[in-house]
Amino acid sequence: MHNAAASMKQVAEIAHIDVRLIAGHSNHSSFTVEEAVEHAGKLRKAGVVVDVSTLDALGARRLLHSPETMFAMLREGLVDTISTDYAGGYHDPILLAISKAVEDGATTLPAAVAMASANVADIIPGLAPSRGRIDPGAVADIVVTDAQRLDNVRWVLIDGRPAVANGELVHANL
């Protein structure tokens, strides 16, 4: 469900119904930092999955002027998943947001990677069966990035086969 200042009352009401609710865009630009943190805290207590979106806070900055709200929510441990949004075609890559959040000290690398992988697979059963983590018997989907700049993707293995090698697309139909 879209979560913004204009819909926060409805999202909070639905949070108390026995349904699986994912509050997307919980760092929406219509919230103040304080509102977003307080609202997310209440949603988490009600069992809601809190998602933050990269939007364009690190690049174009047409919708968001900074990642401050997302980072504050991460610091408070209020985020379950990290996604992106179209953002008028100027969205920031999830790996860039993770890299910057870790650099800022808002979260740890393992926690942020889980928010973009294992947590998503766990929260939405059937979306990515046997994916989201490196475990025996799991499908071998692995992304290898530059350690200093996570959005500089060097290798992508899908089901153990290279789709990107040395930063170049090698197989688009996996």
Side-chain angles (χ1 to χ4, degrees):
M1 180 169 202
H2 189 266
N3 189 25
S7 61
M8 67 189 276
K9 203 179 237 184
Q10 292 81 5
V11 173
E13 288 173 9
I14 293 169
H16 297 288
I17 298 172
D18 189 24
V19 297
R20 174 57 115 184
L21 178 61
I22 300 171
H25 306 109
S26 293
N27 59 317
H28 194 270
S29 61
S30 60
F31 287 119
T32 65
V33 174
E34 296 77 19
E35 282 176 326
V37 168
E38 181 180 347
H39 183 54
K42 290 176 183 175
L43 293 176
R44 287 290 296 286
K45 284 180 183 162
V48 172
V49 174
V50 175
D51 175 77
V52 292
S53 178
T54 64
L55 295 166
D56 66 349
L58 299 161
R61 296 184 180 196
R62 292 175 177 217
L63 297 173
L64 293 180
H65 298 295
S66 85
E68 179 184 2
T69 303
M70 176 173 44
F71 289 0
M73 294 172 70
L74 286 165
R75 271 189 214 92
E76 294 297 321
L78 298 172
V79 178
D80 297 298
T81 61
I82 299 174
S83 63
T84 190
D85 186 275
Y86 179 65
Y90 296 97
H91 67 278
D92 293 324
I94 292 171
L95 288 174
L96 176 61
I98 289 172
S99 188
K100 294 298 182 181
V102 170
E103 181 181 304
D104 180 77
T107 189
T108 65
L109 182 58
V113 168
M115 290 175 208
S117 57
N119 291 4
V120 178
D122 292 344
I123 289 165
I124 308 171
L127 176 68
S130 300
R131 286 181 161 88
R133 55 181 49 81
I134 300 172
D135 282 334
V139 177
D141 290 347
I142 299 173
V143 176
V144 179
T145 69
D146 181 306
Q148 301 305 312
R149 186 151 177 229
L150 298 181
D151 61 316
N152 183 14
V153 175
R154 306 306 309 145
W155 287 82
V156 175
L157 301 175
I158 298 175
D159 198 15
R161 296 176 292 172
V164 174
N166 293 315
E168 299 292 326
L169 184 65
V170 294
H171 199 303
N173 297 320
L174 286 177

